[in-house]
C-alpha cells in the first residue's frame, strides 16, 4: 500500500464543533475558607452524567472558528484584565494589543508582555485597526496562534488594516500565517507535522533576534506551513526549520511573523524575542508596573463578596490551598468555610495527609467522604444515564466528576445549614484550566483540549449567575507558588506536585473494547519502519525511509547509528490518549517501543518519540516498555472500570513510584535513592488496560494492567518535556520504579515510561 502521511492524518482529523455566538456574561465570584475539622459518613445522593463524545478522530487538522462576536466583546478577557492594571495617565500610557485567535498559549503571551513592564490587553480576533486607534495608547499589536487554518473557506479573518495601520505587528503561529497570506504569500497543508521542541536556524542580524545565536530551540506545533517559494513579496525569511519557513519580516514596515511559539518556556530565548520586539522595534520604555498581585486579588475578593461569605473547596493542592489562604487574609476566617471532599480517587491515604497539613498551617477544613456517591453519579442526575463506574470516555468521566462536586457541595451546605444566597463558591481555578476547557473567561476561540472539573456545565451556570469567585484565574502555576510564599505558606505545600481534581479517575484508562480503526495495520507497519530505518530494506518502505532521512539531523543519525545495535520492537496499542496538536485536541493511538538491547538506548528512543508524530499524525504519544522486547501484538484490552479494586491497584502503584521519586525508600540493593521532587515538576502514574504478554491466539481475556510513568519537566505547565533517564533523572531511579511497581502490584503486566513532550501529548493521558 502506498504510504500517504496526509491521508493518515486527515482520516482521523478531529474538528471540534464550531461554537455559536455567545455574548460574554461578565462573571465574578467569591471565595475563602474556614476552620474546624470533622469527618462525616458518606451521603448517598446520586449525581449523574452522559456525554456524547466524538472519539477516534485523533490528529487535529486546524478548525474553523465562528466570527460572530461583537467587536468589543472581550469574552471576559478585557474586563478581567482591567481589574489588575494600574491606572496610568494618558501621557504615560503605552500598551500592546493582543488579538486572540484561540491559542492555547494566548494568555501566556499576555503574561510575557507584562513581565517586561508593558501593559497588554487582549481583544477578540475581529477587533479592527480603527477601534484600536480610537482606544489610543497602543504601541504594537501581537496576533496569537489558534486552531484554525488560514486556507479554509470559513477561516477566521483579520482586519487587513491591522497590517497597514503603522503599528509594529508580531504574528505568532496562526498570526504568522495570516501575515504571510494578507501580504500576498501562501500557506499550505504539508505532509509533515511539527510538534515539539525543535532547533531552527535564525538570522540573528534582524532586530527581533538581536543577541541570539544562529541556532535556537523553539516550540513548533503546526500542520500548515509556509514554503520558501510561498513567502509574501517584500518579506525576507528570518528563520527556517528544515524545509519550512519559521519566520519572516518586513523590517521597513516593522512587520514580523514566526511559526513557532516564543511565549512558552520550550522556546529557550523567547523572552529575549519579546524584549526585542517591545523595546527595539515598538519603542516601549517599560514604565508599566503592576500592583502587587496579592493586593489586586484581595481588592477583587472584597469588591465581589461584599458583606457575604464564601465556601471554598480545598483539595490540598497548591492552587486551592493558596486560594483558601488568600480568602482568609481578605475576609477573615469567620467568613470562610473550607471543605475537603474525598471523591474516592485520592492517592494512598491522601485525605488524611491533606487534613493534617492544612491544620498545621492554620487552614483547617471540614472533611467529607463521598466515594460511592461519585462512582454512582451521572452527568445530569437522570435515569438511564451511564454512571461513573460504567463510564469509559475520559470527557464523560471529567464532566460527571465536575458536576458531582457541585451537587455534593450543595449537600454539604444543607448539612451545615448554610444558605446558598449568603455564599459564593470559591475555586482555585488557574488560567491553564480555563484555556484547556475553552472557557469564555480565557478565550472565546480556543479548542477544548479537556474539560477541567472546575469548569464543567454546572460551574459555568453558577458563574453566569454571579455565584463563583476565582481570584487566581489569571495566574499560572509558578505565579501561584510565588503568591503562596508571600502569604507565608510553607515550602512543602507551595511546591507540592500538581494532582488533578478528578484524581486517579483520569489516570485509569477505562475500556470495554479495543480502539482499532481502518488504518491500524498500516500505521503499525509504518511505525516499525520509522524506528528501524537502518534495518529495513523493503521496497514498499522506501517512502517512509525517505521521510525519516529528511527529518533527522546529522547529529540524530549519528546517535542512532552509534547507540542502536538491535531492532526496536514497535507495538501500536489499541487504546487512545488525549493530546494537543496545533492548538487543537487530538485523541489518538499510543506507540509502545521496546528492545532487548542493554544499556537501554535512551537517546535514540527520545529521537523516535519526536519523529513519530511528525510523520504519523494519528499517534500523539510514545512510551518505552521496560523488560524484554514485546514481540506479540496487543490485540485485546483488559476490561476496566472505576471500581474500588481497580482504584486501589493504581493507588499502590502510584505510592510505589512516588516513594522512589522522592527518595523515601532504598533501592533494591539497599542504596539510598536521591530526592528528585525538585527536578521533576509532576509525575502522573497511569494505569492502562493492556497486557503485553498474553498470547492473543489462546488467551482472550486478562485481569492484568500496565502502568505508565510520566515524569514531566515544566515551569509554565502549558508545555514541557518528558524527563530523560541519564539526563534529567538518574536511570537507576526509573529502573527502581519499574521494579517497585512490578513487585508490589498484583496483576502488573509491564511498566512503561512516557517519552512524549507537550505538545503533542498532554501531561495527563486523559
Amino acid at each position: 500500500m502506498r504510504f500517504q502521511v496526509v491521508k493518515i492524518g486527515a482520516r482521523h482529523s478531529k474538528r471540534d464543533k464550531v461554537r455559536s455566538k455567545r455574548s460574554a456574561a461578565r462573571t465574578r465570584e467569591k471565595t475563602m475558607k474556614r476552620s474546624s475539622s470533622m469527618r462525616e459518613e458518606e451521603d448517598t445522593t446520586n449525581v449523574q452524567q452522559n456525554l456524547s463524545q466524538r472519539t477516534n478522530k485523533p490528529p487535529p487538522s486546524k478548525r474553523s472558528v465562528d466570527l460572530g462576536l461583537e467587536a468589543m466583546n472581550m469574552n471576559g478577557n478585557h474586563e478581567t484584565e482591567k481589574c489588575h492594571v494600574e491606572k496610568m495617565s494618558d501621557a504615560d500610557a503605552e500598551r500592546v494589543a493582543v488579538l486572540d485567535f484561540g491559542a492555547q498559549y494566548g494568555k501566556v503571551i499576555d503574561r510575557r508582555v507584562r513581565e517586561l513592564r508593558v501593559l497588554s490587553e487582549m481583544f477578540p480576533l475581529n477587533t479592527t485597526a480603527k477601534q484600536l486607534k480610537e482606544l489610543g495608547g497602543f504601541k504594537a499589536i501581537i496576533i496569537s496562534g489558534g486552531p484554525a487554518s488560514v486556507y479554509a473557506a470559513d477561516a477566521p479573518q483579520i482586519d487587513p488594516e491591522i497590517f497597514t495601520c503603522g503599528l509594529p505587528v508580531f504574528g505568532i503561529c496562526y498570526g504568522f500565517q495570516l501575515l504571510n497570506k494578507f501580504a500576498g504569500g501562501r500557506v499550505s497543508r504539508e505532509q509533515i507535522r511539527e510538534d515539539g521542541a525543535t532547533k531552527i536556524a535564525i538570522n540573528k542580524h534582524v532586530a527581533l533576534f538581536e543577541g541570539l545565536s544562529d541556532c535556537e530551540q523553539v516550540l513548533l506545533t503546526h500542520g500548515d506551513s509556509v514554503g520558501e517559494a510561498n513567502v509574501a513579496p517584500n518579506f525576507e525569511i528570518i528563520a527556517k526549520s528544515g524545509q519550512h519557513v519559521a519566520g519572516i519580516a518586513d523590517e521597513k514596515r516593522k512587520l514580523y511573523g514566526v511559526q513557532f511559539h516564543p511565549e512558552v518556556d520550550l522556546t529557550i530565548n523567547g523572552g529575549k524575542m519579546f524584549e526585542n520586539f517591545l523595546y527595539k522595534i515598538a519603542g516601549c520604555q517599560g514604565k508599566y508596573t503592576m500592583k502587587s498581585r496579592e493586593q489586586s486579588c484581595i481588592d477583587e475578593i472584597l469588591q465581589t463578596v461584599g458583606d457575604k461569605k464564601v465556601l471554598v473547596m480545598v483539595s490540598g493542592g497548591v492552587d486551592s490551598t493558596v486560594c483558601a489562604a488568600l480568602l482568609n487574609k481578605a475576609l477573615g476566617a469567620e467568613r470562610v468555610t473550607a471543605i475537603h471532599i474525598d471523591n474516592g480517587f485520592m492517592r494512598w491515604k491522601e485525605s488524611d495527609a491533606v487534613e493534617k497539613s492544612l491544620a498545621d498551617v492554620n487552614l483547617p477544613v471540614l472533611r467529607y467522604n463521598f466515594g460511592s456517591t461519585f462512582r454512582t453519579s451521572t452527568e445530569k442526575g437522570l435515569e438511564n444515564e451511564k454512571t461513573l463506574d460504567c463510564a469509559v470516555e475520559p470527557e464523560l468521566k471529567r464532566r460527571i466528576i465536575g458536576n458531582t462536586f457541585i451537587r455534593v457541595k450543595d449537600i454539604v451546605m444543607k448539612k451545615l445549614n448554610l444558605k446558598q444566597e449568603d455564599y459564593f463558591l470559591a475555586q482555585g481555578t488557574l488560567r491553564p484550566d480555563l484555556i484547556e476547557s475553552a472557557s469564555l473567561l480565557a478565550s472565546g476561540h480556543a479548542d477544548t483540549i479537556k474539560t477541567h472539573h472546575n469548569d464543567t456545565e454546572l460551574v459555568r451556570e453558577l458563574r453566569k449567575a454571579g455565584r463563583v469567585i476565582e481570584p487566581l484565574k489569571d495566574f499560572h502555576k509558578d505565579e501561584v507558588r510565588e503568591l503562596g510564599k508571600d502569604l507565608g505558606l510553607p515550602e512543602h505545600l507551595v511546591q507540592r506536585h500538581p494532582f488533578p481534581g478528578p484524581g486517579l479517575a483520569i489516570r485509569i484508562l477505562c475500556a470495554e473494547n479495543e480502539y482499532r480503526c481502518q488504518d491500524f495495520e498500516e500505521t503499525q507497519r509504518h511505525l516499525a519502519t520509522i524506528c528501524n530505518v537502518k534495518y529495513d530494506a523493503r521496497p514498499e518502505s522506501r517512502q517512509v525511509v525517505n521521510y525519516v532521512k529528511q527529518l533527522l539531523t546529522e547529529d540524530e543519525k549519528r546517535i542512532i547509528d552509534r547507540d542502536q545495535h538491535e531492532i526496536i520492537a514497535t507495538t501500536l496499542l489499541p487504546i487512545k490518549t488525549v493530546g494537543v496538536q496545533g492548538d487543537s485536541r487530538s485523541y489518538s493511538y499510543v506507540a509502545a517501543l521496546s528492545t532487548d538491547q542493554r544499556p537501554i538506548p535512551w537517546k535514540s528512543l527520545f529521537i523516535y518519540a519526536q519523529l513519530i508524530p511528525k510523520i504519523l499524525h494519528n499517534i500523539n504519544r510514545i512510551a518505552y516498555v521496560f523488560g524484554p522486547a514485546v514481540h506479540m501484538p496487543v490485540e485485546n484490552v483488559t476490561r476496566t472500570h472505576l471500581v474500588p479494586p481497580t482504584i486501589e491497584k493504581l493507588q499502590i502503584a502510584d505510592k510505589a513510584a512516588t516513594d522512589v521519586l522522592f527518595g523515601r525508600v532504598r533501592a533494591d540493593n539497599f542504596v539510598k535513592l536521591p530526592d528528585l521532587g525538585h527536578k521533576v515538576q509532576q509525575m502522573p502514574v497511569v494505569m492502562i488496560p493492556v497486557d503485553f504478554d498474553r498470547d492473543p491466539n489462546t488467551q482472550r481475556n486478562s485481569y492484568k494492567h500496565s502502568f505508565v510513568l510520566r515524569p514531566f519537566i515544566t515551569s509554565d505547565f502549558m508545555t514541557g518535556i518528558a524527563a530523560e533517564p541519564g539526563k534529567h533523572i538518574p536511570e537507576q531511579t526509573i529502573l527502581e520504579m519499574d521494579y517497585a511497581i512490578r513487585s508490589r502490584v498484583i496483576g502488573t503486566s509491564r511498566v512503561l515510561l512516557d517519552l512524549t513532550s507537550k505538545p503533542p501529548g498532554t501531561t495527563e493521558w486523559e
Side-chain angles (χ1 to χ4, degrees):
M1 180 183 292
R2 181 173 171 75
F3 177 69
Q4 293 182 311
V5 183
V6 176
K7 215 170 172 189
I8 291 177
R11 190 181 298 128
H12 294 286
S13 175
K14 174 155 181 71
R15 292 178 178 268
D16 262 48
K17 232 175 171 184
V18 177
R19 289 183 195 82
S20 42
K21 301 181 183 180
R22 287 187 266 180
S23 26
R26 212 24 240 139
T27 39
R28 312 182 127 204
E29 287 96 19
K30 319 24 181 170
T31 121
M32 185 106 165
K33 92 173 207 161
R34 164 176 132 195
S35 350
S36 223
S37 159
M38 65 188 265
R39 187 179 296 232
E40 294 227 350
E41 262 320 289
E42 170 173 289
D43 288 276
T44 55
T45 304
N46 259 6
V47 199
Q48 311 181 337
Q49 169 189 72
N50 178 11
L51 185 151
S52 65
Q53 163 162 357
R54 286 151 303 164
T55 60
N56 57 330
K57 295 187 175 164
S61 57
K62 302 252 188 183
R63 66 175 175 87
S64 60
V65 179
D66 189 359
L67 297 182
L69 286 181
E70 293 178 10
M72 298 313 292
N73 172 357
M74 297 301 119
N75 291 328
N77 294 332
H78 191 87
E79 293 180 9
T80 298
E81 295 309 332
K82 282 187 175 177
C83 295
H84 296 290
V85 301
E86 281 191 51
K87 292 181 180 176
M88 299 185 295
S89 68
D90 290 341
D92 291 334
E94 56 175 25
R95 297 184 289 171
V96 169
V98 180
L99 300 188
D100 172 32
F101 276 75
Q104 288 297 307
Y105 315 126
K107 285 298 294 182
V108 188
I109 297 173
D110 179 58
R111 174 181 162 190
R112 292 288 177 247
V113 173
R114 289 171 179 236
E115 285 174 346
L116 289 163
R117 302 180 307 282
V118 176
L119 175 60
S120 59
E121 294 190 50
M122 294 191 75
F123 294 90
L125 54 89
N126 55 354
T127 303
T128 65
K130 181 182 177 184
Q131 287 167 334
L132 292 179
K133 283 184 175 179
E134 287 173 352
L135 286 171
F138 288 102
K139 301 281 286 184
I141 298 169
I142 298 175
I143 306 170
S144 83
S149 288
V150 294
Y151 60 77
D154 54 354
Q157 298 300 322
I158 194 170
D159 174 14
E161 290 187 22
I162 290 289
F163 301 116
T164 59
C165 67
L167 291 177
V169 174
F170 189 11
I172 295 171
C173 196
Y174 186 82
F176 153 76
Q177 294 172 4
L178 278 174
L179 171 61
N180 188 64
K181 179 185 175 185
F182 275 88
R186 287 179 52 234
V187 179
S188 60
R189 168 60 50 86
E190 297 290 328
Q191 290 184 314
I192 304 297
R193 282 193 63 85
E194 291 189 294
D195 286 298
T198 307
K199 293 288 180 81
I200 65 168
I202 67 167
N203 177 359
K204 63 183 182 183
H205 301 296
V206 297
L208 186 66
F209 297 145
E210 192 174 310
L212 302 183
S213 304
D214 293 322
C215 183
E216 289 287 337
Q217 178 183 300
V218 302
L219 171 67
L220 283 159
T221 174
H222 66 107
D224 303 345
S225 301
V226 174
E228 286 188 55
N230 296 330
V231 172
N234 302 317
F235 278 79
E236 64 172 310
I237 297 171
I238 61 172
K240 286 191 68 180
S241 171
Q243 301 302 310
H244 293 149
V245 174
I248 59 174
D250 180 340
E251 293 215 277
K252 187 176 179 182
R253 291 189 292 162
K254 298 185 177 181
L255 302 177
Y256 296 83
V258 294
Q259 179 65 77
F260 56 88
H261 289 273
E263 67 272 28
V264 301
D265 288 342
L266 284 182
T267 298
I268 302 299
N269 287 310
K272 179 64 176 173
M273 297 174 198
F274 276 106
E275 181 183 324
N276 287 340
F277 178 71
L278 295 173
Y279 291 139
K280 297 183 185 300
I281 296 167
C284 295
Q285 297 178 43
K287 292 182 178 180
Y288 166 76
T289 57
M290 237 190 298
K291 280 196 288 185
S292 156
R293 295 294 291 270
E294 179 183 327
Q295 190 56 50
S296 295
C297 292
I298 288 173
D299 290 347
E300 181 183 0
I301 291 167
L302 292 171
Q303 181 183 349
T304 307
V305 175
D307 60 356
K308 294 189 182 297
K309 300 176 182 179
V310 296
L311 179 136
V312 57
M313 292 199 283
V314 183
S315 68
V318 61
D319 307 335
S320 61
T321 300
V322 170
C323 180
L326 189 62
L327 290 164
N328 267 358
K329 183 168 182 177
L331 300 173
E334 68 282 355
R335 294 175 63 193
V336 180
T337 298
I339 61 173
H340 171 73
I341 304 297
D342 183 349
N343 59 6
F345 305 113
M346 304 296 283
R347 288 174 287 204
W348 187 263
K349 296 187 177 178
E350 181 154 33
S351 287
D352 294 341
V354 166
E355 194 174 19
K356 182 181 183 306
S357 64
L358 293 178
D360 287 346
V361 293
N362 239 5
L363 291 174
V365 297
L366 306 177
R367 173 178 164 183
Y368 297 87
N369 299 327
F370 280 92
S372 66
T373 299
F374 274 84
R375 289 193 304 275
T376 57
S377 294
T378 65
E379 179 187 12
K380 301 182 186 300
L382 304 175
E383 291 183 14
N384 302 320
E385 289 187 291
K386 268 191 180 177
T387 56
L388 183 59
D389 56 9
C390 292
V392 170
E393 299 299 335
E395 278 292 283
L396 176 57
K397 292 196 294 184
R398 284 177 171 274
R399 295 195 183 196
I400 290 175
I401 291 167
N403 284 347
T404 304
F405 267 120
I406 297 301
R407 294 191 174 103
V408 162
K409 179 264 301 181
D410 292 342
I411 294 169
V412 171
M413 290 187 74
K414 191 173 180 181
K415 276 180 167 295
L416 296 173
N417 294 316
L418 306 179
K419 295 180 180 176
Q420 295 278 354
E421 60 271 23
D422 292 340
Y423 280 81
F424 289 96
L425 170 66
Q427 296 193 133
T429 310
L430 302 192
R431 179 60 52 179
D433 301 345
L434 296 172
I435 293 170
E436 290 187 331
S437 295
S439 170
L440 290 178
L441 287 179
S443 171
H445 304 284
D447 209 43
T448 302
I449 305 303
K450 55 192 179 188
T451 300
H452 284 259
H453 73 288
N454 48 13
D455 194 35
T456 58
E457 182 183 353
L458 290 185
V459 176
R460 292 182 180 188
E461 285 178 11
L462 284 174
R463 281 202 197 105
K464 231 181 240 184
R467 306 303 304 165
V468 181
I469 182 163
E470 294 158 304
L472 305 178
K473 63 185 175 294
D474 282 324
F475 282 68
H476 288 255
K477 184 71 71 176
D478 55 324
E479 295 174 310
V480 173
R481 287 184 165 137
E482 261 181 66
L483 179 58
K485 288 177 188 173
D486 291 344
L487 290 167
L489 294 175
E491 188 80 2
H492 73 273
L493 280 179
V494 171
Q495 295 301 329
R496 194 165 186 258
H497 277 204
F499 186 61
L504 298 180
I506 58 161
R507 291 182 179 175
I508 297 172
L509 269 63
C510 297
E512 292 172 349
N513 299 295
E514 57 275 3
Y515 167 59
R516 191 188 304 272
C517 289
Q518 291 177 351
D519 63 357
F520 189 88
E521 301 298 333
E522 179 188 37
T523 303
Q524 194 154 338
R525 288 196 305 274
H526 296 324
L527 174 63
T529 299
I530 291 170
C531 294
N532 294 287
V533 164
K534 70 180 190 176
Y535 299 110
D536 196 332
R538 295 173 302 158
E540 62 268 29
S541 303
R542 190 169 300 143
Q543 191 176 2
V544 190
V545 171
N546 289 339
Y547 277 124
V548 173
K549 289 180 177 177
Q550 175 186 335
L551 291 171
L552 287 174
T553 66
E554 291 305 315
D555 279 348
E556 289 169 338
K557 290 174 187 173
R558 276 195 293 273
I559 289 169
I560 290 171
D561 286 339
R562 182 190 70 207
D563 292 350
Q564 186 184 333
H565 306 307
E566 294 189 22
I567 287 177
I568 301 289
T570 56
T571 311
L572 192 64
L573 302 185
I575 60 175
K576 47 194 172 180
T577 72
V578 173
V580 54
Q581 294 170 278
D583 281 302
S584 290
R585 179 182 193 270
S586 66
Y587 198 26
S588 304
Y589 292 127
V590 179
L593 313 182
S594 58
T595 180
D596 289 321
Q597 182 174 321
R598 298 296 180 270
I600 300 168
W602 293 116
K603 291 195 179 299
S604 295
L605 291 169
F606 274 85
I607 289 170
Y608 291 133
Q610 288 189 326
L611 184 66
I612 291 165
K614 292 180 180 180
I615 300 175
L616 300 177
H617 302 169
N618 52 354
I619 294 176
N620 67 6
R621 201 174 294 270
I622 297 87
Y624 170 72
V625 185
F626 291 98
V630 178
H631 294 297
M632 285 187 294
V634 176
E635 299 285 356
N636 307 310
V637 293
T638 301
R639 189 176 176 85
T640 305
H641 292 105
L642 294 175
V643 294
T646 302
I647 298 163
E648 184 178 358
K649 207 170 172 181
L650 181 54
Q651 285 175 329
I652 297 169
D654 177 83
K655 185 177 189 316
T658 52
D659 279 350
V660 172
L661 180 71
F662 287 95
R664 297 176 191 140
V665 294
R666 289 187 177 271
D668 184 42
N669 59 2
F670 302 106
V671 171
K672 182 169 172 53
L673 294 165
D675 180 354
L676 301 172
H678 61 292
K679 288 192 173 181
V680 173
Q681 282 71 50
Q682 194 168 359
M683 195 184 74
V685 178
V686 181
M687 177 191 284
I688 62 174
V690 173
D691 182 352
F692 283 93
D693 300 306
R694 66 172 155 176
D695 187 339
N697 298 315
T698 61
Q699 190 183 4
R700 166 73 191 176
N701 299 314
S702 175
Y703 69 97
K704 289 187 176 182
H705 293 86
S706 292
F707 296 91
V708 186
L709 306 171
R710 176 64 159 146
F712 194 64
I713 296 175
T714 179
S715 59
D716 59 19
F717 287 86
M718 289 297 293
T719 62
I721 58 173
E724 181 180 329
K727 181 178 179 182
H728 305 112
I729 186 170
E731 183 185 52
Q732 183 189 17
T733 295
I734 291 294
L735 296 177
E736 203 61 43
M737 290 180 189
D738 167 42
Y739 173 78
I741 291 174
R742 285 188 294 105
S743 61
R744 293 183 206 173
V745 184
I746 297 171
T748 298
S749 169
R750 296 288 191 101
V751 176
L752 297 82
L753 179 67
D754 192 334
L755 312 177
T756 324
S757 63
K758 178 183 180 181
T762 48
T763 310
E764 303 284 352
W765 278 46
E766 286 195 339

